[in-house]
Amino acid sequence: MAVLLLSCLVSVWVVWGALGSTVHLHKTNDQDGRCIYSFTVPSANEASCPSPDETVTALQALQRESHAQRVELESARARLGLLENLVDQLHGSQVVRGSSLSVMGLLRREVDSLKREQAQRDFQVSKLEATIRDLLQDKSGLEEAKRQLEEEKHELERRLESSVQEAAWLRASPCTRTGEVPSRDSLQGSREVSKWDMENLDYQEMKSELTEVPASHLFPENPSPSIPGTEAADTGCGTLVWVGEPVTFRKAETIAGKYGVWMKDPEPVAPYTHETAWRVDTVGTDIRQVFEYENTDQFVKGYPSKVHVLPRSMESTGAVVYQGSLYFQRRKSRILTKYNLKTEVVEVQKELPNAGYHGQFPYSWGGYTDIDLAVDELGLWAIYSTAEARGAIVLSKLEPETLELKQTWETNIRKKSVANAFMICGSLYTISSYSSPEASVNFVYHTSSGTSSPLNIRFENRYRYSCMVDYNPAEGKLLAWDNFHMVAYDVKLSKM
């Protein structure tokens, strides 16, 4: 209290000092006996005090002004709150937008990562699918190889049995050894066999047994008898009515010659003549050698004038020589090939449409004889079958220059039911058996009428395994390969 009083006194003293004697200090007791100090100060601007009404008016004015200021302050506060809300909203939206952008960035990165993972999975799936496809192809290839091996196994077993029988027959034959010098193509053939690794060929285990007997003592020197009243077969066109006995020209010296084909060109082109002969031994997996002989005498003696080495392997015994070219089927395919013997160049390769090959539709003796080429007075032919024909013989006339099909016939003769076939004057003839000594020409199909009929013309398989029979229209003879032996048959045709 003393401090407060002291403060008041100091304040009064200060005011007194500032205003001088115009300030008056009063001291008195109130109703409760407490001392009350008061002082008065004259107004510097007002001459007299306002009246109560004026005071009220001034107070009201002050109140209005205070209210207006209060309202204005409240309005300012409201606007300030609004601004604060807007600022908060703006700040919040920026935060949200930034957050959204951040989330979108994360989502984009996640999507990119998922895309990369998906791409990796797709790549792995494609690799797996490719691997599966390769495995399936390998499986089908192995199955096909297994099937072919099974076929070859059965064929080898059958041929081995035949070879054993042949060896027994040769041992039982009355033969004497001679000091004859082996033929030149025997020696050359032996060298070529070594060159082409023929020591590993089929039936090589029988070679020592089969070559014990000299070839020169295995066939008779007398020719087949002629038809009574004729000197030679009629070469004019007609229907086959007679086949003579086989005349043996020579015998192959090695196991590679158990099966083969020998040929003459019915329409030779210089430098070749009707006397030029060709020979192919067809036992093996890579048949490329074609022995060429200048004339029949050299062929019989075994003196080849040339040995062609084909650029592609040959399949089986269906080859022919025509107009200076060798026509043959490529190994394990339905592709026919024209090889110019003079220039030693492959001129044409053409697929025989839908033809079966490599054991699908062979002759009854097997040997992959699915496609057999033939020549007659009318030109070049292909004897084969297709899946559409269900194994029946299909016959096509070929254009020699291009190997295009000129015309095709489907016969009613089952190809696997006959041992061989050949063409004469546009008609197809089939042989009943490849091993029976009393076989027959049993069917004929005439392309001129599209009809077939049965026949019964004797055909002798003297050596019990005829793997090739072809007609030569220039000589009017059938040329055949019968179990190592190269033989020929005279024929008789009736006038058309």
Side-chain angles (χ1 to χ4, degrees), residues 329-346:
Q329 174 197 356
R330 276 178 49 179
R331 174 173 163 78
K332 290 187 177 180
S333 77
R334 57 172 65 94
I335 296 174
L336 303 181
T337 302
K338 177 184 179 183
Y339 173 81
N340 189 306
L341 290 162
K342 180 180 178 181
T343 62
E344 302 183 38
V345 171
V346 171

Side-chain angles (χ1 to χ4, degrees), residues 98-109:
S99 176
S100 298
L101 291 175
S102 176
V103 171
M104 288 179 66
L106 289 173
L107 289 175
R108 285 195 187 97
R109 286 194 293 274

Side-chain angles (χ1 to χ4, degrees), residues 243 260-264 266 278 316-321 326-327 363 371-376 380-383 419-424 428-429 431 459 466-482 487-491:
V243 178
V261 53
W262 74 287
M263 306 155 282
K264 288 186 175 183
W278 292 267
S316 197
T317 60
V320 295
V321 174
L326 173 70
Y327 295 85
Y363 290 128
I371 299 175
D372 188 14
L373 300 177
V375 173
D376 69 355
L380 182 63
W381 300 83
I383 304 167
N420 237 303
F422 54 89
M423 297 294 299
I424 297 179
L428 172 75
Y429 294 88
I431 299 173
F459 184 90
S466 294
C467 64
M468 161 256 168
V469 180
D470 278 333
Y471 176 64
N472 186 303
E475 295 187 352
K477 295 180 183 293
L478 293 176
L479 306 184
W481 194 294
D482 187 0
V487 302
Y489 301 79
D490 289 330
V491 299

Side-chain angles (χ1 to χ4, degrees), residues 71-113:
V71 170
E72 186 175 352
L73 180 60
E74 291 296 331
S75 176
R77 285 180 178 174
R79 287 197 299 273
L80 181 58
L82 221 306
L83 287 173
E84 288 177 349
N85 289 336
L86 288 174
V87 168
D88 291 339
Q89 290 177 6
L90 180 60
H91 178 69
S93 94
Q94 287 177 348
V95 171
V96 169
R97 187 178 296 111
S99 176
S100 298
L101 291 175
S102 176
V103 171
M104 288 179 66
L106 289 173
L107 289 175
R108 285 195 187 97
R109 286 194 293 274
E110 187 67 21
V111 168
D112 291 340
S113 175

Side-chain angles (χ1 to χ4, degrees), residues 117-187:
E117 292 178 2
Q118 183 66 31
Q120 291 176 355
R121 282 194 295 270
D122 292 342
F123 177 70
Q124 292 175 351
V125 168
S126 64
K127 285 183 64 178
L128 287 173
E129 290 176 347
T131 303
I132 291 171
R133 284 195 300 270
D134 292 341
L135 290 173
L136 291 175
Q137 290 176 356
D138 292 342
K139 178 185 176 184
S140 62
L142 289 172
E143 289 175 347
E144 176 65 18
K146 178 182 177 182
R147 185 186 66 80
Q148 292 177 1
L149 288 173
E150 289 291 337
E151 292 177 356
E152 291 179 2
K153 175 186 174 184
H154 294 321
E155 182 69 13
L156 288 173
E157 290 173 348
R158 185 175 60 79
R159 291 182 180 181
L160 180 59
E161 181 180 358
S162 175
S163 297
V164 171
Q165 293 174 357
E166 175 68 13
W169 179 75
L170 290 174
R171 285 200 186 97
S173 299
C175 301
T176 58
R177 296 184 180 273
T178 67
E180 294 179 353
V181 177
S183 61
R184 290 175 59 186
D185 65 342
S186 172
L187 297 175

Side-chain angles (χ1 to χ4, degrees), residues 13-290:
W13 178 74
V14 169
V15 172
W16 184 281
L19 298 177
S21 59
T22 58
V23 177
H24 301 281
L25 177 65
H26 301 280
K27 181 176 71 173
T28 184
N29 292 324
D30 62 3
Q31 294 177 357
D32 297 325
R34 290 179 298 180
C35 180
I36 300 300
Y37 292 91
S38 65
F39 60 92
T40 59
V41 178
S43 173
N45 298 324
E46 296 175 346
S48 60
C49 292
S51 63
D53 293 335
E54 291 177 349
T55 301
V56 171
T57 300
L59 287 173
Q60 290 176 349
L62 287 173
Q63 288 176 350
R64 285 194 298 271
E65 183 177 355
S66 174
H67 179 71
Q69 289 177 353
R70 191 180 297 108
V71 170
E72 186 175 352
L73 180 60
E74 291 296 331
S75 176
R77 285 180 178 174
R79 287 197 299 273
L80 181 58
L82 221 306
L83 287 173
E84 288 177 349
N85 289 336
L86 288 174
V87 168
D88 291 339
Q89 290 177 6
L90 180 60
H91 178 69
S93 94
Q94 287 177 348
V95 171
V96 169
R97 187 178 296 111
S99 176
S100 298
L101 291 175
S102 176
V103 171
M104 288 179 66
L106 289 173
L107 289 175
R108 285 195 187 97
R109 286 194 293 274
E110 187 67 21
V111 168
D112 291 340
S113 175
L114 290 173
K115 286 181 177 178
R116 285 193 297 271
E117 292 178 2
Q118 183 66 31
Q120 291 176 355
R121 282 194 295 270
D122 292 342
F123 177 70
Q124 292 175 351
V125 168
S126 64
K127 285 183 64 178
L128 287 173
E129 290 176 347
T131 303
I132 291 171
R133 284 195 300 270
D134 292 341
L135 290 173
L136 291 175
Q137 290 176 356
D138 292 342
K139 178 185 176 184
S140 62
L142 289 172
E143 289 175 347
E144 176 65 18
K146 178 182 177 182
R147 185 186 66 80
Q148 292 177 1
L149 288 173
E150 289 291 337
E151 292 177 356
E152 291 179 2
K153 175 186 174 184
H154 294 321
E155 182 69 13
L156 288 173
E157 290 173 348
R158 185 175 60 79
R159 291 182 180 181
L160 180 59
E161 181 180 358
S162 175
S163 297
V164 171
Q165 293 174 357
E166 175 68 13
W169 179 75
L170 290 174
R171 285 200 186 97
S173 299
C175 301
T176 58
R177 296 184 180 273
T178 67
E180 294 179 353
V181 177
S183 61
R184 290 175 59 186
D185 65 342
S186 172
L187 297 175
Q188 182 172 359
S190 298
R191 290 193 294 270
E192 293 295 340
V193 164
S194 177
K195 175 181 177 181
W196 290 97
D197 193 21
M198 299 286 278
E199 289 298 328
N200 295 321
L201 294 179
D202 309 338
Y203 322 114
Q204 195 63 39
E205 67 276 8
M206 299 300 299
K207 180 178 179 181
S208 60
E209 297 183 54
L210 293 175
T211 54
E212 287 177 357
V213 182
S216 59
H217 294 274
L218 294 179
F219 51 85
E221 298 297 331
N222 60 307
S224 62
S226 300
I227 303 174
T230 64
E231 293 297 326
D234 193 319
T235 57
C237 244
T239 302
L240 180 69
V241 295
W242 176 85
V243 178
E245 295 181 359
V247 176
T248 305
F249 283 81
R250 61 167 304 174
K251 183 190 177 187
E253 293 79 10
T254 67
I255 191 67
K258 179 174 176 63
Y259 311 111
V261 53
W262 74 287
M263 306 155 282
K264 288 186 175 183
D265 192 342
E267 297 183 17
V269 177
Y272 305 115
T273 69
H274 285 99
E275 286 294 307
T276 310
W278 292 267
R279 161 196 167 187
V280 182
D281 298 339
T282 60
V283 175
T285 57
D286 191 19
I287 310 305
R288 294 173 182 260
Q289 298 176 39
V290 181

